Amino acid sequence: MRLNYQATGPEDAPVLLLGSSLGTTHAMWAPQLETLASRFRVIAFDHRGHGDSEAPDGPYAIEDLGGDVVELLNELLVEKASYAGISIGGSVGLWLAENAPDRFHRFALLCPPAYPAAGAQMWTDRAAQVRAEGTKAITEPTLSRWFLPEYAAAHAAEVDVIRQQLLATSDEGYASCCEALGAMDLRPALGDITAPVLLVTTDSDQSVPPETVVELSAQIPGAHLEFIEGAAHLVTYSHPDLVNHLLMSHLT
């Protein structure tokens, strides 16, 4: 299974992989790309079932999504890289930190779920809804969780960029990734993580409650936690300058 990706930055620079949120593509990293590409060979990829990556029939498991990233490193002939991910991209990062520690230098994980805090049934129900009605059924509710109302009102064009990505996502790919999120529990091996980890959460994240990320910071040895106020889930869009500063400070 090959992942679609976009490569940016000097070819001889250290490699940084970017994993996006559920229902989006590598293009969601546009607010970070110029900054990160000044120091890294940035590989922004689409998860399986997203963007131009293949969308095999599901359900998927977090092991599938993480294994895809390891195979991408192999395809690119990259021995070791750093990784930044948000939302499900952060979950993939946690799996990689636990299961492929020899392939990564550092991790920056924004609003990452490690287990289904709202219960597995919520993800099962959402997967069924998307298979029956398409991603259009969940797009507006998702945007209302990802952006604060005042940001959405003032940045309609930016919000629409994400809206179009959600609408274009494969129904089967989205639903299968929902099932991966509902079935995963990455907590048992958090104490085994050895790479430096930056965790970022926000005060108004309705998708990944901030207290669950605080829990992760207490369980991952040496993890550094940053708490951003006045932001919802998609903090890479609402607070790009702050996020870019945190990523560069940690990853370099």
Side-chain angles (χ1 to χ4, degrees), residues 3 17 45 65-73 83 92 96 104:
L3 298 182
L17 297 176
F45 64 89
L65 302 177
D68 291 341
V69 176
V70 174
E71 288 305 313
L72 178 59
L73 285 179
Y83 182 96
V92 171
L96 292 167
F104 294 92

Side-chain angles (χ1 to χ4, degrees), residues 5-246:
Y5 65 89
Q6 172 186 298
T8 312
E11 292 187 5
D12 59 348
V15 173
L16 170 64
L17 297 176
L18 299 181
S20 53
S21 57
L22 180 64
T24 69
T25 73
H26 66 273
M28 68 145 288
W29 289 101
Q32 283 68 54
L33 206 55
E34 181 178 358
T35 298
L36 295 175
S38 69
R39 294 289 298 272
F40 295 97
R41 179 65 168 172
V42 179
I43 307 296
F45 64 89
D46 298 334
H47 299 291
R48 66 164 62 192
H50 288 64
D52 290 325
S53 291
E54 296 176 22
D57 291 340
Y60 307 158
I62 193 65
E63 293 84 356
D64 298 322
L65 302 177
D68 291 341
V69 176
V70 174
E71 288 305 313
L72 178 59
L73 285 179
N74 294 339
E75 176 188 340
L76 297 172
L77 303 179
V78 173
E79 182 177 346
K80 203 164 185 176
S82 290
Y83 182 96
I86 183 170
S87 187
I88 193 173
S91 303
V92 171
L94 287 172
W95 186 90
L96 292 167
E98 294 175 353
N99 293 278
D102 57 322
R103 304 299 298 272
F104 294 92
H105 298 292
R106 290 174 170 265
F107 292 87
L109 309 177
L110 296 86
C111 309
Y115 64 99
Q121 189 62 45
M122 184 273 287
W123 290 110
T124 300
D125 293 344
R126 190 184 298 184
Q129 181 184 19
V130 168
R131 286 195 174 101
E133 304 173 29
T135 57
K136 63 181 180 296
I138 55 85
T139 293
E140 296 308 317
T142 297
L143 294 173
S144 70
R145 292 191 301 271
W146 283 7
F147 299 106
L148 294 180
E150 53 269 32
Y151 177 86
H155 300 84
E158 287 90 339
V159 173
D160 192 57
V161 168
I162 301 301
R163 176 182 288 109
Q164 297 308 317
Q165 291 179 30
L166 285 163
L167 291 170
T169 298
S170 157
D171 296 341
E172 178 62 24
Y174 185 100
S176 297
C177 283
C178 286
E179 290 164 332
L181 289 169
M184 76 176 182
D185 190 347
L186 299 169
R187 290 173 292 181
L190 292 174
D192 298 332
I193 293 176
T194 56
V197 175
L198 167 69
L199 295 170
V200 178
T201 188
T202 74
D203 61 347
S204 299
D205 190 345
Q206 299 180 51
S207 297
V208 182
E211 60 269 20
T212 66
V213 183
V214 174
E215 292 172 6
L216 296 184
S217 70
Q219 296 176 63
I220 298 173
H224 177 69
L225 176 67
E226 289 285 347
F227 194 92
I228 298 178
E229 297 183 353
H233 187 62
L234 215 63
V235 67
T236 50
Y237 258 67
S238 63
H239 291 66
D241 291 342
L242 179 53
V243 167
N244 292 350
H245 171 74
L246 292 174

